[in-house]
Amino acid sequence: MINFNKVVGWMGFPHLTISKGLTCSFAVAYRLKDKTDEKWTARFIRFKDKKNKAEWGAATVLYDAVPALIKHLGVDPKRTTFIPALSSKETKADPNRSIPWIAKGCASIVGAQHTEVALSKDAHQKLHTIYSMDGRSAELDKAKYQCAKIDADHVFVFDDIITRGDTLSHIALAVLATNPQCKVYGIGLAKAESVAYCPNPENDHVPAKWDTLWGQGEREHDAKFKKD
């Protein structure tokens, strides 16, 4: 079990299974692999399935949660850059994919820098189709992550699901290779966990406000795109 600290509503992970280059990582709630009817888990599954309503719900939560985290950490937004993690097939971030546009929206709200072009890699096999941990790490090695120069002191990497931290670590090391002055943080919508592995993991730490905001985001989506 990977322990976390409560940080202004977030799950704050000082260490993940793999935390190379990461100062700290944060997630909203657990995505439980073997309890898919749990409320937040079901939401994250719909997000991964690219359901637009879930994307709006997630964005509405993060637009509130990320500013609170940045304020709590005391980092200077003007010296902070938000970057999106890349999907397996991407070599550069697709600005129309949910994580890049959510990261961009969060940056705008807090007054941070944002870039979708600093991070690059080679396309690789989807990690969830590889069942061994060593195999996943080897596949990420093949991706050959690279990062351009970033004029910032703090870099926040946005991703959807944090599992072991291997992807975030590969990105963090790429950032630090060209930007050794930076501190790198992971921002995940969810932390993958298993009830069988971590007895009784709960999402009761999540603020009631965030539950309300997710629902609000979904209703706003329906209102905007409702067919007459």
Side-chain angles (χ1 to χ4, degrees):
M1 176 178 177
I2 305 297
N3 294 317
F4 70 90
N5 302 316
K6 294 181 181 180
V7 183
V8 289
W10 290 84
M11 307 166 76
F13 296 91
H15 303 285
L16 299 170
T17 303
I18 302 174
S19 290
K20 297 176 182 177
L22 292 166
T23 296
C24 191
S25 299
F26 303 91
V28 170
Y30 283 123
R31 179 195 180 193
L32 302 173
K33 300 176 185 177
D34 41 7
K35 194 176 180 182
T36 56
D37 58 345
E38 189 272 327
K39 178 191 287 186
W40 284 96
T41 298
R43 286 170 167 172
F44 298 144
I45 290 172
R46 290 191 292 111
F47 181 92
K48 286 291 287 184
D49 288 341
K50 300 180 181 179
K51 304 298 183 183
N52 293 145
K53 282 177 59 169
E55 292 173 344
W56 277 54
T60 306
V61 170
L62 292 179
Y63 291 164
D64 182 83
V66 170
L69 179 62
I70 294 299
K71 181 179 180 180
H72 174 81
L73 294 175
V75 301
D76 180 359
K78 294 180 180 179
R79 297 293 304 162
T80 299
T81 296
F82 291 176
I83 65 174
L86 305 178
S87 70
S88 58
K89 66 181 180 180
E90 286 180 327
T91 57
K92 291 276 190 177
D94 176 0
N96 295 315
R97 193 167 58 84
S98 55
I99 288 298
W101 65 253
I102 289 173
K104 184 177 181 179
C106 289
S108 177
I109 291 169
V110 305
Q113 303 173 56
H114 169 264
T115 176
E116 292 163 350
V117 298
L119 189 67
S120 63
K121 68 169 181 62
D122 294 339
H124 62 80
Q125 184 178 343
K126 292 182 178 180
L127 297 183
H128 73 264
T129 65
I130 303 171
Y131 296 103
S132 76
M133 292 186 291
D134 289 344
R136 291 186 176 195
S137 294
E139 193 66 22
L140 286 170
D141 289 341
K142 294 178 186 177
K144 299 178 182 176
Y145 278 93
Q146 297 183 48
C147 186
K149 284 284 187 179
I150 297 176
D151 183 20
D153 300 320
H154 305 275
V155 174
F156 286 77
V157 182
F158 282 67
D159 204 355
D160 47 15
I161 311 296
I162 298 173
T163 305
R164 295 187 301 146
D166 208 355
T167 298
L168 286 176
S169 292
H170 274 75
I171 295 172
L173 292 177
V175 171
L176 293 171
T178 46
N179 303 278
Q181 81 286 357
C182 288
K183 289 186 176 180
V184 184
Y185 304 80
I187 294 283
L189 187 59
K191 172 68 174 74
E193 194 53 270
S194 168
V195 174
Y197 177 74
C198 173
N200 302 316
E202 301 290 346
N203 281 326
D204 54 6
H205 65 279
V206 182
K209 179 183 181 182
W210 293 0
D211 181 49
T212 300
L213 285 171
W214 188 293
Q216 176 185 315
E218 293 203 346
R219 289 190 297 274
E220 288 175 354
H221 173 275
D222 283 349
K224 184 175 179 65
F225 297 102
K226 183 179 179 181
K227 295 180 180 180
D228 294 330

